Structures are given as structure tokens and as C-alpha cells.
Amino acid sequence: MHRGIVIIGGGFSGTMTAVHLARLGARGVTLLERRDAPARGVAYGTTHDCHLLNVPAGKMSALPDQPDHFVNWLAKHEPGHADAAAFVPRLLYARYLETLLDACGDAVAVIRDEAIALHPDGDGMMVETRGGRALPASKVVLALGNFPPGNPAISTPGFYSSRRYVQWAWAPHTYEGLQPDDDVLLVGSGLTAIDKALVLIERGHKGQIHILARRGLKPQQHAPAAPLAPVLDPATAPRTALGLLRALRRAIKGREWRAVIDSLRPVTQQLWANLPVREKQRFIRRLRPFWDVLRHRVAPQVAQRIEQAIEQGLVTVHVAKLHGFHEDDSGVDALIETPQGRRKIHVQRVINCTGPESNYRNLHHPLVANLLERGLARTDALALGLDTDDRGALIGSDGKASNVLFTLGPALKGKLWETTAVPELRVQARDLALRLMA
Ligand SMILES: Cc1cc2nc3c(=O)[nH]c(=O)nc-3n(C[C@H](O)[C@H](O)[C@H](O)COP(=O)(O)OP(=O)(O)OC[C@H]3O[C@@H](n4cnc5c(N)ncnc54)[C@H](O)[C@@H]3O)c2cc1C
């Protein structure tokens, strides 16, 4: 029986691992993706032109050793967009990844199916799928990406079974049945809320779009800034969350803050690794929301479109905490707590745009449940992802690193912190492929 490498999840991470394996000469690689098409994932699966990359094209090459690869691809296939400084539509990026995957030819078989369990099988694993397949694997790569958010804690959790509530903003039914003058509440004010508001604006939605910002933070926009060398040196930087915050504040004085934040990119993983667990927890509790808005910024055109919609009165941002919901035939009253006191917002739909759930123990994901139950995987100390060795091998409940199971991408958040965007993931995909072929 032939056993190949099976990659579960065909977003950027899984697709690029497959591409590197094929380029290194691997044969019999299977890429398993439960959605309609691979090479997209949530990020690049959009069909809306208004959804732009939030990283300039010049930094989005999928291949770490060919930095101009994406811009060159644009020059050939979409010359109107071939500008390294431009924020191009995300759906073009999906086409780019598709081209890379197509070039693998027979080396990579793409199967549309969902892995639901792994069964140890001799030296390898048998991958069981929802569609009834049993795929023998010598190695398995989990490239599962981001998961839907958890439901925010409220006084009326029964509301979460309402048909007016959408837990996962990327679900196909998010806008289903929505009337043009329905009012909508987006819970959360990060990149997902911005994406959802944009679609409604572009569709000419007439109803009010309410955005709930718990801390009043909203994504910042990119602006040109001359690059800086890292402003912190991991060898000498403070090893507490507060110490890092103070050092960063000092570094920002008199400088463009975006350049200071971006300068940390090559050293963020090391700064994170140097923090003791207690300090990492403190960072997550106190500083994470601030870090996220400064670090993950939107294209200027996107920020301007949202500002314009706010000025036109189409979008309203509420700085408030969510309390609960009361539903009747006409819609839902969202009860919110503002600095001025409690108030109600009446809407017809509520879309959860809070960040992805990262605690694998809280997920409703059959494969993850199976892995944890069997002890083939365990969560990391911060419950931000999965426990692995330094090169992505899963550590099981016995504390041993597997030589069959590997992961990359958001699952490594606890270990690396910065493991979200293409500039980090492209390196992980290449390095993992090299390890699998060694
Ligand atoms: C809206 C949005 C915009 C973004 N924009 C940018 C950007 O402009 N630039 C940038 O660098 N980064 C961006 N990112 C970050 C983005 O997450 C990464 O760039 C990258 O796409 C993550 O890829 P991934 O493969 O790790 O995860 P995902 O894209 O989440 O892919 C995981 C895939 O695994 C599949 N899967 C999960 N479980 C199973 C299973 N059991 N069986 C089969 N398949 C399964 C899922 O269906 C999914 O397709 C954005 C993210 C989002 C959400």
C-alpha cells in the first residue's frame, strides 16, 4: 500500500506546503480541502473586488526566496495591478496561488473532503474523511488555519440559536435574506467587521450598519514610512510585557509609529519566545488589542471608504460592551453598556466579528476533537494553538514529538505569536516541506 504525505487544509499554508513538496520532487502528495476550492482559505476565498490585501503586493510573494514573484505574476496576468506598493484585490491572490498549485501537476492530488479523524496505522496514519475515504499517510500536515469565533459572554446566551445571529462572519448564509433597509450589528471592530461593512456598503445597503467597539479601537491604515532597523534587540530587550511596552513607547518618540512597529517584524518571534509564560499571559490580557490594531492595518482606500460611510451616517461606531439581546418579531434589541450608560440598538441581524477562537478545546471541529481525545495532540501552555517542537512536529499527551504529525500557521500562535500573515507563513511552508523531505 502506497503512503504519501497528506496535507489537511488547502488555505495558503497547506497549498504552499504542497507546492514546495512538489518542487522538492515529492510525489503522491494529497491536499485535502473541505471547501469548494483549494488555494483560497478564508482570506482569499472572497468574491468581492472591494476586499483588498492588507499587505502591499511587493511583500506578498508566496515564495520566500523570490520576493518579486507575486508582482511579476501580476505583471504577466494582471498588468493593471502590477505595482509593488499597491493593495490589490484578494481574489487576485487566490488566482496567483492557484497558478502555483496547478504547476505541481500530478505530484499533488487535490481532494474536496473533510478529514474527521486520524488513526495510527503502522509507521504512519490513516486519514478518515467525512466522504468515507481512508487515506494512508506516511506524514500528515495539519494546515487547519483559523476557526470561527466563540460567542461573546452575555446575559441572554439563548439568543445564539436565533436565525438572526451569524456566529461565523464568513459563513455562506451571512447575508441571506437580509433586506436592503435592514439594520445590522457587527460585534467587534477589527478587520472582519471592516470587511463585512465594506460588502454592505458596496451593495448599496440602506439600513444602518452598527459596529460595536469594546475598547473604541479600530484598525489603523497603512501609510508610507521609511523602513527602520529593528528598534529592539531580543538579547537586551525587557522580558516583561510592561517593560516591552515602555521600550516601544520610548522608541516611537519622534518617529513614525508604523515604521517602529514594522521594524519589529524580524524579531517579534524571538521577543515573544524570551517572555516567561506569566508575561505572555499579561501581554494577552492587557496589550493584545492595542498591538493587534497597530500591527494589522488596512489599505488606505479601505479606511477612507469606511470613514466616508461614517460621515454619511451609514455606519455608526459604538464604544460599548455587549450585555445581551431581546428578540421579537420586528428584530433584536442589542443591550449595550456605553460610558454614558445602558442603551438599546434595534437591528434585524447580528454578525459576530470578534477574532477567531484559538483554544482548541473550545472548537466544534471533529478532527481536532479526535486528535485531542486520542492524545495525538495537546494545546500549548497558553491555549493559543497546538504544542509542537521547534520545527512544527506535534507534541502528544505523552510529551513526545511526533515524527508523523506536523502543523504550521495559526496553530503555532502560542509558540511564535506572529504566525498570521504571508511573510511568516511562506517561510514556515518551505521549512516544513524541507523537513518532510529530509
Ligand atoms: C479576511 C482576511 C484577510 C487577510 N488578508 C491578509 C493579507 O492581505 N495578507 C496577509 O499576509 N495575510 C492576510 N490574512 C491572514 C491569512 O490568515 C493568512 O495570510 C493565510 O491565508 C492563512 O492561511 P492558512 O492556510 O493558515 O489558514 P486558512 O486560510 O484558514 O485555511 C485553512 C483551510 O483548512 C481547511 N480545513 C480546516 N479543517 C479541515 C479539515 N478537517 N479537512 C479539510 N479541510 C480543512 C479550511 O476549510 C481552510 O480552507 C488575512 C486573513 C483574513 C481572515
Side-chain angles (χ1 to χ4, degrees):
M1 180 172 49
H2 176 73
R3 291 171 188 276
I5 297 174
V6 176
I7 301 170
I8 304 174
F12 177 89
S13 301
T15 300
M16 287 315 298
T17 306
V19 168
H20 284 291
L21 284 169
R23 289 177 162 222
L24 290 167
R27 293 293 171 264
V29 176
T30 302
L31 182 63
L32 209 54
E33 169 56 52
R34 63 185 176 183
R35 292 156 64 105
D36 286 347
R40 284 170 164 65
V42 170
Y44 314 117
T46 178
T47 51
H48 300 282
D49 261 345
C50 63
H51 285 155
L52 304 182
L53 292 177
N54 52 34
V55 175
K59 294 186 179 163
M60 284 294 287
S61 168
L63 301 170
D65 50 354
Q66 296 180 51
D68 299 329
H69 196 262
F70 180 47
V71 177
N72 291 342
W73 182 90
L74 287 170
K76 189 164 169 206
H77 299 275
E78 292 285 338
H81 288 287
D83 172 2
F87 297 89
V88 307
R90 297 209 295 263
L91 47 82
L92 293 184
Y93 201 71
R95 277 185 45 210
Y96 166 61
L97 293 180
E98 241 166 38
T99 313
L100 282 163
L101 185 58
D102 286 348
C104 298
D106 294 346
V108 178
V110 179
I111 297 182
R112 189 188 164 201
D113 206 342
E114 178 183 356
I116 53 170
L118 296 186
H119 305 281
D121 179 31
D123 291 342
M125 287 280 163
M126 189 66 84
V127 182
E128 180 187 342
T129 72
R130 190 172 292 286
R133 293 180 169 89
L135 304 170
S138 56
K139 312 268 182 217
V140 177
V141 175
L142 303 175
L144 307 179
N146 289 307
F147 300 100
N151 292 324
I154 51 170
S155 56
T156 55
F159 171 69
Y160 289 137
S161 54
S162 165
R163 63 180 180 83
R164 295 191 187 274
Y165 174 66
V166 177
Q167 181 180 356
W168 192 44
W170 308 103
H173 66 274
T174 300
Y175 305 111
E176 216 171 75
L178 193 69
Q179 299 304 308
D181 51 2
D182 279 351
D183 293 340
V184 178
L185 172 64
L186 305 177
V187 180
S189 59
L191 298 180
T192 302
I194 299 294
D195 263 23
K196 297 296 119 180
L198 267 183
V199 172
L200 291 170
I201 294 165
E202 295 302 317
R203 279 163 53 145
H205 195 73
K206 300 277 183 299
Q208 267 287 306
I209 304 166
H210 298 276
I211 296 183
L212 200 62
R214 196 149 61 122
R215 295 183 179 79
L217 298 171
K218 58 179 183 181
Q220 300 293 309
Q221 71 181 66
H222 284 284
L228 286 177
V231 296
L232 297 179
D233 175 356
T236 54
R239 295 186 176 203
T240 64
L242 190 60
L244 282 176
L245 174 67
R246 287 186 176 140
L248 208 52
R249 278 201 176 132
R250 278 195 300 274
I252 283 175
K253 272 201 186 115
R255 287 179 169 134
E256 158 61 45
W257 66 265
R258 293 174 182 83
V260 172
I261 297 291
D262 292 352
S263 82
L264 295 181
R265 202 156 189 157
V267 294
T268 307
Q269 293 181 353
Q270 194 54 52
L271 291 169
W272 179 252
N274 288 349
L275 290 179
V277 170
R278 202 184 56 250
E279 290 301 323
K280 287 178 177 157
Q281 285 164 333
R282 204 163 274 165
F283 176 88
I284 292 164
R285 256 195 333 269
R286 302 274 175 81
L287 302 179
R288 179 183 191 166
F290 303 95
W291 174 257
D292 282 350
V293 293
L294 299 179
R295 169 71 186 77
H296 303 290
R297 304 191 288 270
V298 293
Q301 304 91 302
V302 169
Q304 281 151 21
R305 192 69 195 90
I306 297 290
E307 283 308 322
Q308 200 183 21
I310 292 174
E311 275 162 30
Q312 291 166 341
L314 182 58
V315 171
T316 309
V317 179
H318 304 269
V319 181
K321 224 178 117 194
L322 184 60
H323 232 270
F325 294 98
H326 287 300
E327 189 174 2
D328 63 23
D329 291 346
S330 68
V332 188
D333 279 333
L335 311 176
I336 60 170
E337 186 97 41
T338 73
Q340 292 75 40
R342 277 203 187 175
R343 54 167 297 208
K344 283 181 197 167
I345 309 173
H346 192 71
V347 295
Q348 280 68 46
R349 184 146 312 178
V350 177
I351 305 177
N352 183 348
C353 299
T354 58
E357 176 64 79
S358 56
N359 186 342
Y360 278 55
R361 299 212 166 271
N362 296 340
L363 299 176
H364 301 284
H365 189 285
L367 177 64
V368 168
N370 161 268
L371 290 170
L372 294 175
E373 209 175 291
R374 276 182 177 265
L376 293 172
R378 67 182 187 188
T379 59
D380 62 64
L382 297 157
L384 286 179
L386 293 175
D387 200 8
T388 65
D389 72 4
D390 285 342
R391 295 168 68 204
L394 288 197
I395 295 181
S397 57
D398 58 1
K400 291 192 186 132
S402 170
N403 48 28
V404 178
L405 299 178
F406 300 85
T407 191
L408 76 167
L412 300 179
K413 183 113 186 143
K415 183 167 274 300
L416 304 175
W417 183 252
E418 212 55 84
T419 178
T420 312
V422 163
E424 299 105 40
L425 303 185
R426 64 187 172 199
V427 177
Q428 289 180 24
R430 181 204 51 197
D431 291 353
L432 182 54
L434 284 168
R435 179 176 188 178
L436 295 175
M437 292 298 281

